Amino acid sequence: MSNTIEIRWHGRGGQGAKTASLLLADVAFTQGMYVQGFPEYGPERMGAPITAYNRLSHTPLRIHSNIYTPDIVVVVDETLIGPVDVTAGLKEGGALIVNSRRAPEEVRAEFPGYTGRLYIIDAKSVSLRNIGRNMPNTPLLSTVVKVSGIMEAEAFFENMRGSFAHKFASKPEVLEGNMKAIREAWEEVVTA
Amino acid sequence: MSRRDRLSGNEAVANAIRQINPDVIAAFPITPSTEIPQYVSLFKAEGKIDTEFVTVESEHSAISATAGAEAAGVRAMTATSSAGFALMHEMLYVVASDRLPVVMAVVNRALTGPININNDHSDSMGSRDCGWMQLYSENAQEAYDNMLMAHRIAEDPEVLLPIMICQDGFITSHAVENIVLEDDETAKAFVGEYKPEHFLLNPGKPVAYGPYGVSPYYMELKRTQTEAMNHAAAVIQKVSKAYGDLTGRYYDLIERYRMDDAELACVCIGSSAGTGKAAVDVLREQGIKAGLVKIRAFRPFPGDEIADALKHVEAVAIMDKTDSFSGNGGPLGAEVRSALYQHKCKAETINYVYGLGGRDVRVEDFYQIFRQLEDIADGEEAPAWRYIGVRER
């Protein structure tokens, strides 16, 4: 199972964490990987904490349980830090990605016991600037792909252009904005 | 040419239905099966199928309309879960005893009390004796494959019984996974045309459906239902073999995973089987002779095959994703034990109730079960049945 990358997303209902996990599964699938993308379902309400998951592997995936020892944790909404133990079970050598506009050391201070890799991306600003709305999942997807190393930058951008062209067939004007958002996110992610 | 894709279990089943292109679908939405009729109605709107889509006011009506259409002489399907399934309960018996080869997609979800939308098998297990065949699926691929095989099994003249194709709610129905889809022509050719010998709208050969069954005849009619179910096992195997020869994906009544020399085994149904297989592989690396039996067909019940698979095993854990509240474990536990007793198998048994209402089932749960089996094989006394994954003091 060591060749399986396990990812856990923490967001709030309505922020697109589930969609992001499905998009990531899509991207990895195009790389010939075996994928799982699934949210944890319950009585969903806008703003309530939700969890979504990905398994990505080069061998068939059989386990159908939630993920307890992720390689990567993505915090879509930083107000969940504290109320939710987002780093629970995060593997030694794993990575934590936080959507935040705060200074890296300030975010780092939120995780006193955590010494592993921490990446900060201001996904809200990137999406507001390029898409015109707070759609953090598109820039975060870019950050996760970069941190996970499942594919190279140009291959990823090319791939996303294809899926955006399909997704936004009826409103091509938003395609370029989304493309700029994933490119900027790829560049702007910082290590804390 | 088959095609690699990534779909949720519900999308997979909906695509199988698109390829089957049934004459009638009558459905009422209920989580987590709602997406199936939703996608099917989209296919209808896009002109990809010419199915008559009947929106009804309840699941009782959904299965009634499906039964009416099937009796009239066409292929009719429906989909449901949980409370919707329970509302069909009365009509499930009518469909089976009228020998209507209806195919129903079931997305297993817990029954209410307290209300819960997540997975267990209490819905379909609650109607296990209604006379329908039941096939269970481990993942989206199996849900798709089972659906493409369903009509050939149900409509076989030796069988003529309805069949439900079950998968685990949310765990597979809403998880996107890799899947291989057959191309439409191949799928359609495999499913074939429906040419019923008897049907209602056939004035040249009149028949009656649903007459009163007086005592001098009722029991013989029930006996013929059992006879049909007795034929079903061989027909499932025959159709599965043909499907395997076509697609390379072979299925049987049960799946034996690393059972050849297994000393300890789990028997389970559905998505947890995959998690169990991963546990078996790890335990095998540690030198523990673990194995797993997955039940694909629960009705007909493959008692002979299960007993054969377990004949050399020292201890076996039988896992029920439903509770019978019998004070004696769950339905799979009872039936597997009955088969083992009948075949004079010597394996020690323990029955686990697990995964109720979406309680997550982890690889670690299987490690714990196999540790218990080791102790039982070493002579430790264990209760006849117990829970796993529950908080209790």
Side-chain angles (χ1 to χ4, degrees):
Chain A
M1 265 167 290
S2 53
N3 71 353
T4 301
I5 302 171
E6 295 187 311
I7 300 165
R8 191 173 65 210
W9 300 76
H10 293 284
R12 291 186 183 275
Q15 289 175 334
K18 176 198 165 184
T19 307
S21 78
L22 298 183
L23 281 173
L24 180 62
D26 252 17
V27 169
F29 171 80
T30 63
Q31 296 306 293
M33 296 183 85
Y34 290 91
V35 301
Q36 286 181 346
F38 57 102
E40 194 169 338
Y41 279 91
E44 280 182 72
R45 298 140 292 162
M46 290 279 276
I50 68 127
T51 314
Y53 303 95
N54 283 111
R55 284 192 182 89
L56 313 173
S57 177
H58 291 288
T59 54
L61 294 162
R62 298 175 299 183
I63 295 175
H64 281 110
S65 71
N66 295 337
I67 290 168
Y68 298 93
T69 55
D71 298 277
I72 298 174
V73 167
V74 190
V75 180
V76 182
D77 186 324
E78 61 180 333
T79 66
L80 290 168
I81 301 168
V84 175
D85 185 6
V86 295
T87 56
L90 180 57
K91 280 197 192 95
E92 189 104 1
L96 175 62
I97 299 168
V98 178
N99 171 20
S100 177
R101 63 193 313 171
R102 291 186 292 162
E105 54 274 17
E106 207 180 317
V107 178
R108 170 67 81 175
E110 297 260 19
F111 304 97
Y114 179 72
T115 55
R117 286 185 289 156
L118 173 62
Y119 300 91
I120 318 289
I121 176 72
D122 183 1
K124 181 182 178 182
S125 297
V126 171
S127 68
L128 281 175
R129 205 158 48 230
N130 296 290
I131 309 172
R133 288 167 60 196
N134 184 10
M135 302 277 286
N137 60 6
T138 308
L140 277 167
L141 174 67
S142 180
T143 307
V144 172
V145 170
K146 183 177 184 179
V147 169
S148 68
I150 59 168
M151 61 199 293
E152 298 296 326
E154 284 310 317
F156 172 59
F157 299 152
E158 194 63 23
N159 183 303
M160 290 310 290
R161 180 172 287 283
S163 62
F164 284 146
H166 178 73
K167 189 177 172 192
F168 301 125
S170 60
K171 36 181 180 176
E173 66 280 4
V174 301
L175 188 151
E176 285 310 321
N178 276 276
M179 284 307 298
K180 279 171 74 180
I182 61 166
R183 282 176 186 276
E184 268 185 32
W186 192 281
E187 297 306 325
E188 286 192 11
V189 60
V190 295
T191 310
Chain B
M1 275 290 285
S2 58
R3 177 165 64 86
R4 290 182 182 281
D5 208 330
R6 68 295 197 193
L7 298 175
S8 71
N10 278 346
E11 290 174 311
V13 166
N15 269 283
I17 295 173
R18 177 181 58 72
Q19 294 177 321
I20 293 163
N21 190 18
D23 300 290
V24 174
I25 285 188
F28 189 83
I30 183 165
T31 301
S33 62
T34 301
E35 287 180 338
I36 294 174
Q38 191 180 326
Y39 288 124
V40 169
S41 66
L42 183 67
F43 294 143
K44 165 86 175 165
E46 292 172 344
K48 291 177 178 166
I49 53 173
D50 54 14
T51 303
E52 189 68 38
F53 191 98
V54 189
T55 53
V56 287
E57 74 280 21
S58 77
E59 286 85 356
H60 191 282
S61 300
I63 189 66
S64 299
T66 304
E70 190 79 38
V74 300
R75 266 190 188 134
M77 300 180 72
T78 186
T80 196
S81 298
S82 185
F85 185 102
L87 188 55
M88 291 182 176
H89 183 71
E90 173 202 4
M91 290 305 295
L92 296 179
Y93 284 77
V94 173
V95 175
S97 61
D98 280 340
R99 306 292 299 278
L100 300 171
V102 166
V103 176
M104 173 161 73
V106 174
V107 182
N108 286 114
R109 162 184 158 185
L111 277 170
T112 291
I115 192 165
N116 175 289
I117 62 167
N118 296 98
N119 169 245
D120 66 33
H121 298 156
S122 53
D123 48 7
S124 58
M125 281 293 166
S127 295
R128 64 187 176 276
D129 297 335
C130 67
W132 283 54
M133 294 179 283
Q134 295 188 343
L135 294 187
Y136 289 85
S137 320
E138 178 183 322
N139 49 38
Q141 182 75 62
E142 292 191 8
Y144 170 80
D145 291 339
N146 284 335
M147 190 52 87
L148 283 187
M149 285 180 249
H151 288 92
R152 276 182 59 169
I153 296 167
E155 294 165 3
D156 190 293
E158 295 288 306
V159 179
L160 285 177
L161 288 174
I163 186 167
M164 53 185 86
I165 302 302
C166 307
Q167 65 169 314
D168 285 345
F170 293 112
I171 299 171
T172 66
S173 71
H174 284 62
V176 168
E177 295 184 327
N178 299 59
I179 186 170
V180 177
L181 297 176
E182 298 309 312
D183 69 65
D184 292 356
E185 288 67 35
T186 306
K188 284 179 197 304
F190 180 82
V191 175
E193 291 290 315
Y194 180 41
K195 298 192 188 77
E197 193 187 339
H198 302 287
F199 54 100
L200 212 47
L201 299 185
N202 185 7
K205 210 172 172 184
V207 288
Y209 280 89
Y212 187 83
V214 293
S215 298
Y217 290 100
Y218 181 88
M219 199 159 164
E220 284 71 24
L221 289 168
K222 291 291 118 180
R223 176 66 185 82
T224 62
Q225 268 180 259
T226 282
E227 191 60 17
M229 194 63 90
N230 288 345
H231 297 158
V235 171
I236 292 170
Q237 287 175 314
K238 182 182 74 181
V239 173
S240 301
K241 169 75 166 59
Y243 191 80
D245 291 344
L246 182 74
T247 64
R249 295 187 297 280
Y250 287 91
Y251 296 95
D252 205 333
L253 303 170
I254 61 172
E255 180 186 339
R256 303 167 193 231
Y257 187 73
R258 305 191 79 161
M259 284 302 297
D260 283 350
D261 61 342
E263 294 169 356
L264 312 173
C266 273
V267 181
C268 68
I269 296 178
S271 62
S272 299
T275 310
K277 289 175 197 170
V280 164
D281 285 355
V282 170
L283 293 168
R284 284 274 175 171
E285 280 171 26
Q286 298 167 7
I288 297 163
K289 290 190 171 172
L292 184 141
V293 173
K294 180 176 80 186
I295 308 291
R296 176 178 177 235
F298 185 74
R299 287 290 181 269
F301 188 75
D304 296 349
E305 286 78 5
I306 293 169
D308 181 66
L310 298 172
K311 64 179 181 242
H312 299 305
V313 167
E314 291 173 24
V316 56
I318 309 148
M319 298 180 61
D320 268 293
K321 219 174 194 178
T322 186
D323 201 337
S324 279
F325 308 107
S326 63
N328 193 41
L332 185 64
E335 299 209 18
V336 169
R337 277 182 170 138
S338 165
L340 295 179
Y341 184 81
Q342 199 66 33
H343 287 79
K344 300 183 169 55
C345 291
K346 295 187 188 69
E348 296 288 334
T349 60
I350 182 165
N351 185 194
Y352 280 96
V353 173
Y354 76 106
L356 302 184
R359 178 58 49 86
D360 200 22
V361 187
R362 307 171 57 170
V363 179
E364 288 76 12
D365 293 323
F366 282 93
Y367 295 155
Q368 194 183 328
I369 290 165
F370 277 105
R371 275 197 299 275
Q372 173 77 74
L373 288 179
E374 280 188 302
D375 291 341
I376 293 172
D378 289 343
E380 186 184 286
E381 290 284 323
W385 65 280
R386 65 192 305 178
Y387 291 88
I388 188 157
V390 70
R391 293 188 300 274
E392 55 186 338
R393 283 185 287 185

